[in-house]
Amino acid sequence: MTIDEIRDLLKEVKYPGFSRDIVSFGVVKDISLDKDKVEVDLNVTSPSEETRGEIKSQVEAVLTKSGGFSTVEVTLSGGSQASPPQKPAAAPVPAISLSDVKHTIAVASGKGGVGKSTVAVNLAVGLAQKGHKVGLLDLDIYGPSLPVIMGVNERPMMTQERKLVPLEKHGLKLMSFGFLTGNDTPIIWRGPMVSRMTEQFFTDVTWGELDYLIMDLPPGTGDIQLTLTQRLRLAGAIIVTTPQDLAISDVRKGADMFGKVNTPLLGVVENMSGYVLSGVVRGSDNQPISNATISIPGMDKTKEVKSSDDGQFTLEVDLFKRGGGHEESNRLHVPLLCEIPISLELMESCDEGIPLIIKDPDSPAGRVFAQLVEKVEEILPG
Ligand code: ADP
């Protein structure tokens, strides 16, 4: 087989999710032939490991199946730094935007469970408390948590023009996949379906005039998120991460994704940054002891506080190596917007459906959310 024949053979492999083949996408970078050993170097620009793995194994399968080679070696280059291939030129992704919405802000994360929805909700409610008109759109199709965190789960009404009327709670207009599908339905959505549904949530909902529309994006920085960010004209994006995940380049991937679609990154929110211990020091007679020293060994250094006159103390303990947020955000030139401690009250407020910024604004985490709201107002005045 000649190199050209091998190239023709590789045209059988389609780029996952597209009808075009990998050769016409320019994925096949190099083919070399040494007797009956073939080496193929692929340049797959998609950051999705699934896409990359699928292309590699399909190429291996096609070459092995041809029976022409004793050894087949396929290598992959490219990756998260480059942009994924665009859809064929005939179908550019049209941007959709809402003329009555001043600022659309996406809240994103590299993976689930880092507190993305918790941050989106408290930010949205905090902005509404300041007198702004705010909408909250939960696009987290894999685990819509807005109905639980906001304590509302009704079916939205439809207008005669078949537009969805957002639900209202805690001063916000709300829409979530969860309102339509129920929370317990495990759903597997494919990219194009997500795109269609999202478009409807964006344009077929009577949002009215809004100062801010906060969007809770599905977790991850793959193709679905990229398409969403590309289509919805965003004023900015916020990435939520935990201290450990900062180290595994979640923020880098998120920053790359928003960079590709020219969306300004407003900054990073580090969640579960530490733990705030509070309590009362009492003696064996159960009386509060003032001026007692409470000393807790931390990751970097032992922390100490003195109890107050009534024996009360509050001490923030580091559970993970501290300072990662600052270092990483400096390195990436992305501001660190705030650091939210692990907080029992915050977890409980989510379960109860009353956002912490309403339930206990003076709690340590409540105060951090207030700071976040102020920063967002500062960057994008309502
Ligand atoms: P995500 O949207 O990233 O999947 P959620 O916002 O749904 O994450 O949060 C996941 C869980 O973690 C929820 O039960 C929430 O109450 C809890 N949680 C989030 N942030 C904190 C925190 N700082 N302290 C304690 N629990 C938290």
Side-chain angles (χ1 to χ4, degrees):
M1 225 184 261
T2 64
I3 302 265
D4 281 343
E5 285 168 337
I6 296 170
R7 198 177 294 279
D8 277 340
L9 192 63
L10 293 179
K11 288 183 183 164
E12 282 180 39
V13 179
K14 300 276 181 275
Y15 197 97
F18 292 81
S19 55
R20 257 168 79 180
D21 66 90
I22 56 166
V23 177
S24 71
F25 259 136
V27 163
V28 180
K29 199 163 133 199
D30 196 21
I31 301 174
S32 59
L33 201 54
D34 181 10
K35 297 197 184 80
D36 52 1
K37 175 182 177 189
V38 62
E39 288 181 30
V40 177
D41 189 12
L42 302 173
N43 181 26
V44 183
T45 55
S46 167
S48 153
E49 281 311 314
E50 203 186 331
T51 304
R52 296 165 64 76
E54 198 179 325
I55 295 177
K56 182 170 186 273
S57 55
Q58 282 198 44
V59 168
E60 283 164 348
V62 164
L63 294 172
T64 310
K65 203 176 74 192
S66 75
F69 314 102
S70 63
T71 314
V72 171
E73 267 190 18
V74 179
T75 49
L76 273 176
S77 51
S80 60
Q81 300 305 315
S83 20
Q86 300 298 309
K87 282 227 174 220
V93 189
I96 43 177
S97 63
L98 294 176
S99 51
D100 288 343
V101 176
K102 245 191 223 167
H103 307 295
T104 304
I105 302 172
V107 181
S109 66
K111 62 173 189 188
V114 298
K116 174 176 53 60
S117 304
T118 308
V119 170
V121 163
N122 281 281
L123 169 63
V125 173
L127 287 166
Q129 283 176 329
K130 294 284 213 54
H132 301 293
K133 292 187 202 117
V134 186
L136 178 56
L137 174 54
D138 176 14
L139 293 176
D140 193 345
I141 26 175
Y142 305 112
S145 37
L146 190 84
V148 176
I149 303 183
M150 289 295 284
V152 57
N153 201 356
E154 294 159 26
R155 290 229 155 215
M157 310 270 275
M158 268 215 178
T159 63
Q160 281 183 338
E161 295 78 37
R162 302 194 61 73
K163 293 220 172 204
L164 285 166
V165 181
L167 300 181
E168 298 209 14
K169 187 87 190 260
H170 303 311
L172 300 182
K173 292 188 174 171
L174 303 170
M175 189 49 71
S176 166
F177 277 94
F179 298 151
L180 303 181
T181 58
N183 277 337
D184 304 326
T185 334
I187 16 170
I188 298 165
W189 297 83
R190 298 206 141 261
M193 252 165 107
V194 174
S195 208
R196 256 198 315 275
M197 275 300 265
T198 304
E199 181 163 340
Q200 278 183 355
F201 269 8
F202 213 61
T203 53
D204 293 348
V205 172
T206 56
W207 289 110
E209 267 186 29
L210 294 178
D211 296 317
Y212 298 96
L213 178 60
I214 308 293
M215 291 196 313
D216 188 354
L217 284 190
T221 47
D223 293 344
I224 289 185
Q225 290 78 5
L226 189 73
T227 315
L228 287 184
T229 8
Q230 208 167 10
R231 299 216 56 195
L232 314 175
R233 217 168 269 152
L234 302 176
I238 293 172
I239 297 177
V240 181
T241 183
T242 60
Q244 314 91 295
D245 294 319
L246 271 170
I248 57 163
S249 84
D250 258 15
V251 176
R252 155 68 70 199
K253 284 192 203 152
D256 278 352
M257 177 175 84
F258 292 116
K260 274 178 207 160
V261 290
N262 295 323
T263 297
L265 200 52
L266 306 183
V268 171
V269 168
E270 190 184 281
N271 190 21
M272 312 194 196
S273 285
Y275 184 69
V276 180
L277 271 180
S278 58
V280 179
V281 189
R282 293 179 194 277
S284 53
D285 56 358
N286 210 26
Q287 290 304 307
I289 302 177
S290 62
N291 213 27
T293 303
I294 297 97
S295 169
I296 310 269
M299 279 285 168
D300 296 327
K301 60 174 192 204
T302 299
K303 291 208 171 176
E304 281 188 0
V305 280
K306 300 267 185 208
S307 59
S308 63
D309 287 349
D310 50 2
Q312 305 249 8
F313 74 93
T314 305
L315 181 58
E316 190 165 342
V317 186
D318 301 341
L319 297 177
F320 309 104
K321 196 163 169 29
R322 231 11 217 287
H326 282 288
E327 279 164 29
E328 254 331 271
S329 60
N330 282 341
R331 200 170 66 77
L332 298 171
H333 308 292
V334 174
L336 183 65
L337 294 171
C338 63
E339 294 166 286
I340 307 165
I342 290 184
S343 136
L344 194 60
E345 303 104 313
L346 180 53
M347 202 174 68
E348 283 170 356
S349 76
C350 290
D351 292 348
E352 281 171 35
I354 308 170
L356 190 71
I357 201 157
I358 295 177
K359 194 184 160 202
D360 195 354
D362 286 330
S363 60
R367 283 202 297 268
V368 177
F369 283 129
Q371 279 170 20
L372 174 65
V373 170
E374 268 173 31
K375 286 202 177 156
V376 169
E377 272 183 307
E378 214 175 278
I379 308 171
L380 298 170

